[in-house]
Amino acid sequence: MYCELHALSNFTFLRGASHPEELVARAVQLGYSALALTDECSIAGVVRAHQAAKKAALQFIVGSEFTLADGLRLILLASDRASYGRLCRLITRGRRAAEKGSYRLTREDLAAADLSGCLALWLPGTQPNASDGEWFGTLFPDRAWLAVELLREGDDCARLKQLTELGAQLHLPLVASGDIHLHVRERRALQDLLTAIRLNTPITEAGFALQPSGERHLRSLRELERLYPQALLDETVKIAARCRFSLDELRYEYPEELVPPGETPTSQLRRLTEDGARMRWPQGVPERVRELIEYEFALITELHYESYFLTVHDLVRFAISRGILCQGRGSAANSVVCFCLNVTSVDPAHQDVLFERFISKERNEPPDIDIDFEHERREEVIQYVYEKYGRHRAALSATLITYQPRSALRDAGKVLGLDALQIERLARAMHWWDGNKVADERIRSAGFDPANPLLARLLERVRELLGFPRHLSQHVGGFVISRGPLEELVPIENATMPDRTVIQWDKDDLDALGLLKVDVLGLGMLTALRRSFTLMREFRGRELTLATIPPDDPAVYAMIQRADTVGVFQIESRAQMSMLPRLRPENFYDLVIEVAIVRPGPIQGDMVHPYLRRRTGEEPVDYPSPDVERVLKRTLGIPIFQEQVMQLAVVAAGFTPGEADDLRRSMAAWKRRGGLEHFEERLLSGMRERGYSDDFAARIFRQIQGFGEYGFPESHAASFALLVYASAWIKCYEPAIFTCALLNSLPMGFYAPAQLVRDAREHGVEVRPVDVLESDLDCTLERRVDGEPALRLGLRLAKGLSRSAAGLLVNARTQRPFDSLQDLARRAALDQRDLRALVDAGACARLTGNRHRAAWEVAAVEPPLPVFPEIEVAEGIPMLPVPTEGQSIVADYRSLSLTLGRHPLALLRERMREHGLLTSHELKQLAHGTYVRTAGLVISRQRPASASGVTFITIEDETGHANLIVWAAVAEAQRRHFLEARLLEVHGELQRQGEVMHVIAAKLNDLSRWLGTLETRSRDFR
């Protein structure tokens, strides 16, 4: 019998060389009785190990290794829940006392901490100091051991004798341990590589920093019995027997301060819900809604989730009080209770949301609500959480950053001796659409031979390194808030960003343990909508909110059906725009379907085309039973949403609601970990028992598999659809306001400023240039003679111009207008860099005439003299040539990323005609199946995970856009043109389906050289 009490995983970043799950699996294989994971000043990997050990029925012990500031090393093991909390508190103390990624603890810190219940192993150095052991034994009376680690380094016998005598002298019992860094010896080379990366030194120069042997792996019981006296092995079992703590004991306790004196969480939630219901339905709450409220409320109170909903309500209340636009989403967010609490503006009475999607008796876990806030003001909400609950009770969850092909090649290549240019060539050969792999063909494309011994060694290590944890980062907004000290639940450490702290567990860890997380997320479209409402009020005098935008407007739906949706939330991608003329949304629920159907889940589950055929009457709509009809009627017999899959499992296969939710969770993870197999037989047999055909049952299961980790809940789609309609309504009726708000909210969405401005002009919006005499920092609206708005571009678009300089300029201009460039420079106190940024943007044209003259005048600007600050020296103006149209366009793109002049390709059109290249407008006149040649600026590349390697490229010319479909084989054969072209020529077959048109690419050619110095950049997505 043996229990390993000292094991590091790869969550001791750049030390451990095995995943926690690998350590557990190997310990089980070797017949160990228990395994302790003791990552250095960290428990970041324990949830993964706990889950694996629980599944394998292996006792798992939570612990941590520490090296104190004076070099003393020890291990602490949690014996019960209280000692686990004390261990987490110590880790927090060490991590908070140092910069991110490090820790600092002293003997004084340990002496001051209450570590009762923690079992301690001393890890003596090669020349142990007895006084260290005396201090150690005194600090941990009756729970201190001296760890003996025999690693076949040539002195095992002498080491055992030395430590035996030391233990007798100090009255410390001895125990065997392994200083485990690897689950198998074969990871030794990777562990050496990690050490060199950690030390930032070539592996050939790492010397004694590398482990002297490969024995720090989990060894067989027979090997251990040959190395250690039996008493030392038996002692490991005795220690494990004292460690009774399991992570399953952790229980979340909700914050209490949201309940006023004299109220209970139940009564307070009831009061807020009823107040909200009266506000939502001033004429009286409909009977169906009242039934939903009572049903939801009963389940919430039975499972004691009142405080969770009060916590979410408090965040929304704060945002509303500050004028911050927000919107909840998720099944919990779209409950009637949350509708009454103002968490969402989507009326759930119009949906058939399965309440058990987020809360059920079988699964006693907290619900999950995501709240989107304006992305520019989310920090206000984050700081409110910290201020209200304190940093000892609130922190962001972590995100695990892992090695990807480029980062692995860069780090491994550096320590294996490749030079910087070679490393960069290798890294740049990797692209996100290649997936998380390093293929030999990519290496050859970079000019290297994968069979070269050094390259072969590099690639072997890199492929092992892929997916390894690199460091913890902060989640985009997942907050964990507790009633008591959070650091007793999970350690807290500093984030890179100031005023941020994070816990050591990520979202999956929290989900696995059933701990509360409230997502405080940022959404650019909410910022744009709030700006739109403000502009509407200021320019039109009209008050609008998400709730008061006129619903069901035929003109809005007509615009959506034309795919005139550049800038519109969620339906602006080329994949969505190609779907819109086919699906032709006519009402809000159609938008819900549109949002959800262009997703990998429905596409991979072969649901899109059957749904479209049924919608157009090309295929009959049938249902195998009335129960199935009730579930699928709104989507014409095709399951599109996660909730429908769950409901089908209930009505057609006899699942309980909680079991259906387990199915959903397995759907979300099966591609990564498997786990759908035991559901397959249950589903198939359950449907057979209820009279459904094998074909129907098999089709439903295939569709479940198609959802994979991409299934989209109806509740999410409904929340998003509300923002789709709101943004589409503003674009339809107020394109100037819409574009102004979008430009001021960048970066967000699919499109760059050039495409947004072009689209606005195509909708009749007058766009005026950046101008030091008129422009503010943000884009603004100016009233035309006819009273309609014109869009004035803001100083924020000028590259290189600081925000502070823009503010100084606007402040100086409010005193009196500038009469010259020198006057501007003097009164706004701008330096040469900011002045040149304004000149490059063409913003000084009304003061100087053109960019060349402006550049000349800027060169003559000197700092004012302290004695005569107002004196200007008049100089002669040289006869400089006026910039050509091409020079102006190039300058516009370089500074503003857009031009208000002609499109760049208008200047190249004659040359393009000589090469037989058609415009995008000319493509629209051709018949289906025509072989065409065209070219345009690449504005986006998109390769969805569901597209089986297909990439969608959008190109642009002076007449419009063309959509290209590039099959994986074509992209691979012409990879350089495919990846690097800014001006792309394409030959291929034109395909039309109704109003949808695209070119199936057969040949690609990079014409970027024709652009000269013009700077353009595509936006690439997956």
Side-chain angles (χ1 to χ4, degrees):
M1 301 284 285
Y2 177 70
C3 305
E4 182 53 66
L5 302 176
H6 183 198
L8 306 182
S9 75
N10 51 16
F11 281 81
T12 299
F13 305 124
L14 302 180
R15 276 186 67 197
S18 293
H19 294 282
E21 298 91 337
E22 291 177 323
L23 291 169
V24 169
R26 182 62 174 163
V28 171
Q29 185 181 23
L30 293 172
Y32 286 15
S33 301
L35 173 73
L37 191 64
T38 57
D39 284 310
E40 188 173 6
C41 198
S42 172
I43 61 166
V46 298
V47 177
R48 289 164 170 78
H50 163 73
Q51 289 180 284
K54 188 175 177 180
K55 190 174 182 180
L58 174 73
Q59 182 188 355
F60 175 67
I61 301 169
V62 176
S64 187
E65 174 195 294
F66 302 92
T67 299
L68 304 186
D70 62 0
L72 185 141
R73 297 176 64 231
L74 71 153
I75 294 166
L76 295 179
L77 305 174
S79 64
D80 53 24
R81 173 64 182 89
S83 61
Y84 166 80
R86 296 172 187 127
L87 174 64
C88 290
R89 197 163 55 207
L90 181 68
I91 294 172
T92 298
R93 182 167 186 165
R95 292 289 181 180
R96 292 298 308 277
E99 293 182 354
K100 172 181 163 53
S102 60
Y103 70 98
R104 188 179 190 278
L105 286 169
T106 65
R107 296 194 189 199
E108 290 73 22
D109 291 326
L110 264 67
D114 176 9
L115 295 174
S116 55
C118 291
L119 310 186
L121 278 62
W122 176 33
L123 304 171
T126 54
Q127 297 298 324
N129 188 328
S131 63
D132 290 345
E134 291 173 358
W135 174 86
F136 183 79
T138 302
L139 187 63
F140 300 99
D142 301 322
R143 48 199 172 86
W145 285 264
L146 196 161
V148 179
E149 300 186 328
L150 305 178
L151 301 169
R152 287 188 170 137
E153 293 172 359
D155 61 348
D156 284 355
C157 291
R159 180 66 170 171
L160 179 59
K161 182 175 182 296
Q162 176 194 47
L163 296 182
T164 301
E165 293 172 353
L166 181 62
Q169 175 188 342
L170 299 173
H171 304 290
L172 287 178
L174 273 59
V175 64
S177 65
D179 192 18
I180 301 303
H181 287 58
L182 335 160
H183 72 295
V184 291
R185 187 193 303 272
E186 287 74 17
R187 286 283 173 86
R188 164 76 187 282
L190 179 61
Q191 206 274 327
D192 287 347
L193 181 88
L194 293 170
T195 301
I197 293 172
R198 186 179 80 248
L199 300 176
N200 194 26
T201 187
I203 198 166
T204 54
E205 299 175 17
F208 291 112
L210 303 179
Q211 301 290 3
S213 74
E215 291 298 307
R216 287 172 171 78
H217 66 93
L218 294 171
R219 294 174 285 187
S220 71
L221 296 178
R222 181 172 297 179
E223 286 181 90
L224 294 170
E225 288 167 354
R226 286 200 297 264
L227 282 171
Y228 292 96
Q230 187 61 43
L232 272 65
L233 300 177
D234 292 342
E235 195 68 21
T236 68
V237 179
K238 295 177 184 177
I239 292 174
R242 293 179 62 175
C243 295
R244 300 178 304 278
F245 171 70
S246 166
L247 289 174
D248 288 335
E249 297 177 40
L250 297 183
R251 291 293 179 267
Y252 182 83
E253 294 182 324
Y254 296 90
E256 290 181 322
E257 56 263 65
L258 299 174
V259 181
E263 297 277 2
T264 65
T266 303
S267 66
Q268 176 68 357
L269 182 62
R270 169 65 78 174
R271 184 181 67 80
L272 293 172
T273 301
E274 294 299 335
D275 289 347
R278 283 190 291 272
M279 180 197 71
R280 294 291 193 183
W281 295 280
Q283 305 303 317
V285 179
E287 183 178 349
R288 168 62 178 153
V289 172
R290 173 55 62 187
E291 291 174 359
L292 286 172
I293 290 175
E294 297 307 322
Y295 172 68
E296 293 178 10
F297 211 89
L299 203 48
I300 290 170
T301 54
E302 180 180 349
L303 297 176
H304 308 295
Y305 291 155
E306 300 96 328
S307 294
Y308 176 86
F309 287 90
L310 291 175
T311 302
V312 172
H313 168 263
D314 182 62
L315 297 180
V316 172
R317 179 203 57 76
F318 169 78
I320 292 172
S321 72
R322 293 293 182 92
I324 302 172
L325 200 59
C326 63
Q327 166 82 343
R329 56 186 165 93
S331 298
N334 284 20
S335 67
V336 181
V337 169
C338 279
F339 184 60
C340 295
L341 296 177
N342 274 325
V343 173
T344 180
S345 296
V346 179
D347 186 347
H350 297 157
Q351 302 179 70
D352 187 20
V353 176
L354 189 68
F355 197 64
E356 285 78 3
R357 161 66 174 81
F358 70 93
I359 183 171
S360 69
K361 296 177 183 178
E362 289 94 338
R363 178 175 54 87
N364 188 17
E365 300 173 7
D368 184 22
I369 295 178
D370 299 341
I371 314 176
D372 293 315
F373 299 88
E374 297 174 38
H375 74 309
E376 292 181 350
R377 301 189 65 189
R378 181 176 68 113
E379 187 64 26
E380 295 177 45
V381 183
I382 288 175
Q383 292 307 318
Y384 168 74
V385 172
Y386 281 134
E387 290 168 12
K388 185 176 186 70
Y389 300 103
R391 293 183 181 277
H392 64 296
R393 294 175 52 204
L396 290 164
S397 60
T399 292
L400 185 64
I401 305 302
T402 60
Y403 272 108
Q404 303 300 309
R406 285 190 173 186
S407 57
L409 281 165
R410 286 191 172 109
D411 279 6
K414 183 177 180 181
V415 300
L416 287 177
L418 275 70
D419 64 43
L421 290 176
Q422 291 173 319
I423 293 170
E424 196 57 28
R425 279 168 54 199
L426 283 169
R428 288 177 65 85
M430 305 296 139
H431 292 274
W432 54 262
W433 39 60
D434 293 323
N436 193 26
K437 61 182 180 180
V438 178
D440 284 352
E441 55 265 30
R442 298 282 74 79
I443 303 302
R444 293 189 188 94
S445 71
F448 295 89
D449 179 8
N452 175 281
L454 175 59
L455 263 296
R457 182 182 173 200
L458 169 69
L459 295 178
E460 184 178 2
R461 297 289 81 77
V462 162
R463 287 164 182 156
E464 287 181 315
L465 194 55
L466 292 176
F468 257 52
R470 182 62 179 84
H471 63 269
L472 289 178
S473 183
Q474 66 182 39
H475 188 272
V476 291
F479 256 107
V480 179
I481 307 168
S482 64
R483 178 183 301 176
L486 180 59
E487 63 182 5
E488 294 183 2
L489 187 69
V490 56
I492 303 170
E493 59 183 57
N494 296 321
T496 302
M497 290 181 65
D499 301 325
R500 296 282 185 91
T501 46
V502 300
I503 63 172
Q504 290 189 334
W505 290 340
D506 67 9
K507 177 182 180 296
D508 291 340
D509 297 329
L510 294 171
D511 286 346
L513 296 177
L515 301 179
L516 166 71
K517 175 177 64 68
V518 178
D519 282 324
V520 179
L521 306 175
L523 188 63
M525 182 50 69
L526 286 175
T527 303
L529 288 172
R530 196 260 306 161
R531 290 181 185 274
S532 296
F533 296 151
T534 301
L535 290 167
M536 187 86 69
R537 181 177 63 252
E538 293 173 349
F539 196 87
R540 300 289 192 193
R542 182 177 183 182
E543 290 284 351
L544 273 184
T545 66
L546 283 176
T548 59
I549 286 179
D552 304 322
D553 190 304
V556 175
Y557 286 108
M559 181 189 80
I560 291 172
Q561 291 169 9
R562 296 192 304 271
D564 182 7
T565 55
V566 169
V568 175
F569 183 64
Q570 283 287 303
I571 57 172
E572 63 176 347
S573 74
R574 287 297 153 180
Q576 288 277 4
M577 292 170 81
S578 68
M579 178 66 68
L580 291 169
R582 299 157 66 191
L583 195 145
R584 301 187 65 80
E586 298 176 346
N587 53 51
F588 181 78
Y589 195 72
D590 285 349
L591 291 182
V592 177
I593 292 175
E594 172 71 33
V595 167
I597 203 168
V598 187
R599 302 276 169 179
I603 292 172
Q604 291 181 337
D606 191 25
M607 305 167 203
V608 176
H609 295 297
Y611 175 80
L612 290 175
R613 287 194 298 269
R614 293 183 176 202
R615 188 176 174 90
T616 57
E618 301 172 42
E619 180 179 301
V621 179
D622 56 356
Y623 307 97
S625 75
D627 287 336
V628 171
E629 182 176 3
R630 281 193 294 272
V631 174
L632 299 181
K633 185 173 183 178
R634 287 179 303 158
T635 53
L636 307 181
I638 305 297
I640 291 174
F641 304 109
Q642 274 188 355
E643 290 91 340
Q644 290 179 306
V645 172
M646 293 172 62
Q647 288 170 316
L648 280 176
V650 172
V651 304
F655 280 47
T656 67
E659 290 171 333
D661 188 73
D662 289 338
L663 171 62
R664 175 190 66 84
R665 287 170 172 263
S666 295
M667 283 163 49
W670 81 274
K671 284 198 172 183
R672 298 192 303 272
R673 302 191 297 268
L676 274 184
E677 296 79 10
H678 72 282
F679 285 109
E680 180 176 10
E681 180 53 36
R682 175 79 194 282
L683 277 164
L684 298 181
S685 61
M687 291 186 187
R688 285 193 208 101
E689 290 170 6
R690 287 157 181 79
Y692 296 99
S693 70
D694 287 348
D695 286 345
F696 175 77
R699 176 160 59 88
I700 293 299
F701 186 74
R702 283 198 305 273
Q703 289 171 337
I704 290 174
Q705 287 180 306
F707 270 83
E709 59 186 305
Y710 303 106
F712 207 64
E714 181 179 0
S715 48
H716 273 70
S719 295
F720 280 171
L722 183 68
L723 302 183
V724 170
Y725 182 81
S727 55
W729 188 94
I730 298 171
K731 177 183 172 71
C732 181
Y733 287 102
E734 297 288 354
I737 288 176
F738 184 65
T739 306
C740 185
L742 287 179
L743 290 173
N744 290 337
S745 303
L746 293 174
M748 58 168 283
F750 261 73
Y751 297 100
Q755 284 78 52
L756 296 176
V757 168
R758 174 176 179 164
D759 182 70
R761 297 174 83 181
E762 290 174 351
H763 286 77
V765 176
E766 178 187 344
V767 182
R768 296 171 177 174
V770 181
D771 188 341
V772 294
L773 298 179
E774 303 290 348
S775 294
D776 290 342
L777 171 65
D778 286 341
C779 300
T780 55
L781 299 178
E782 297 176 353
R783 200 171 294 276
R784 301 189 322 196
V785 175
D786 61 2
E788 289 303 301
L791 172 59
R792 171 69 69 181
L793 299 181
L795 296 169
R796 63 162 47 231
L797 294 176
K799 292 179 185 174
L801 180 67
S802 64
R803 293 180 70 92
S804 60
L808 290 169
L809 186 154
V810 173
N811 287 338
R813 193 180 66 209
T814 57
Q815 305 301 317
R816 69 175 190 273
F818 304 122
D819 53 33
S820 69
L821 195 54
Q822 284 200 359
D823 179 43
L824 182 155
R826 183 183 67 252
R827 290 201 286 122
L830 301 188
D831 59 23
Q832 282 283 325
R833 178 184 174 185
D834 288 320
L835 287 171
R836 289 190 179 279
L838 290 170
V839 168
D840 290 344
C844 303
R846 287 172 61 192
L847 290 177
T848 61
N850 61 62
R851 278 190 175 92
H852 288 175
R853 285 185 58 178
W856 176 271
E857 291 190 26
V858 163
V861 171
E862 296 180 355
L865 298 172
V867 180
F868 303 108
E870 298 291 330
I871 290 180
E872 288 189 21
V873 179
E875 296 188 10
I877 300 176
M879 299 296 292
L880 298 172
V882 176
T884 65
E885 182 183 18
Q887 288 173 328
S888 294
I889 291 173
V890 167
D892 285 343
Y893 268 83
R894 182 182 299 121
S895 177
L896 303 170
S897 299
L898 62 89
T899 183
L900 297 183
R902 289 199 295 168
H903 191 278
L905 295 195
L907 279 65
L908 294 174
R909 181 51 55 193
E910 185 176 342
R911 184 176 184 182
M912 296 173 79
R913 289 208 181 283
E914 292 173 357
H915 286 74
L917 301 176
L918 302 174
T919 67
S920 62
H921 178 73
E922 289 167 340
L923 293 180
K924 294 181 174 67
Q925 318 306 316
L926 301 177
H928 173 78
T930 305
Y931 194 83
V932 299
R933 299 173 61 187
T934 188
L937 297 179
V938 178
I939 64 171
S940 71
R941 296 178 179 87
Q942 187 180 17
R943 176 176 284 185
S946 61
S948 304
V950 177
T951 304
F952 303 97
I953 297 180
T954 301
I955 59 175
E956 171 193 85
D957 64 18
E958 72 274 28
T959 68
H961 300 94
N963 297 319
L964 316 179
I965 293 179
V966 185
W967 301 113
V970 174
E972 189 60 38
Q974 303 170 75
R975 186 177 177 87
R976 187 185 66 78
H977 303 285
F978 168 71
L979 291 176
E980 298 177 8
R982 293 181 296 122
L983 175 56
L984 179 64
E985 175 184 358
V986 58
H987 302 187
E989 181 182 314
L990 182 72
Q991 290 195 350
R992 311 183 71 103
Q993 184 176 2
E995 299 177 44
V996 180
M997 182 192 77
H998 46 248
V999 177
I1000 306 297
K1003 180 182 178 182
L1004 305 174
N1005 186 25
D1006 184 0
L1007 299 179
S1008 303
R1009 60 190 181 279
W1010 289 9
L1011 298 178
T1013 58
L1014 182 74
E1015 296 180 9
T1016 65
R1017 180 175 297 176
S1018 67
R1019 306 194 73 193
D1020 299 336
F1021 303 88
R1022 56 173 148 179

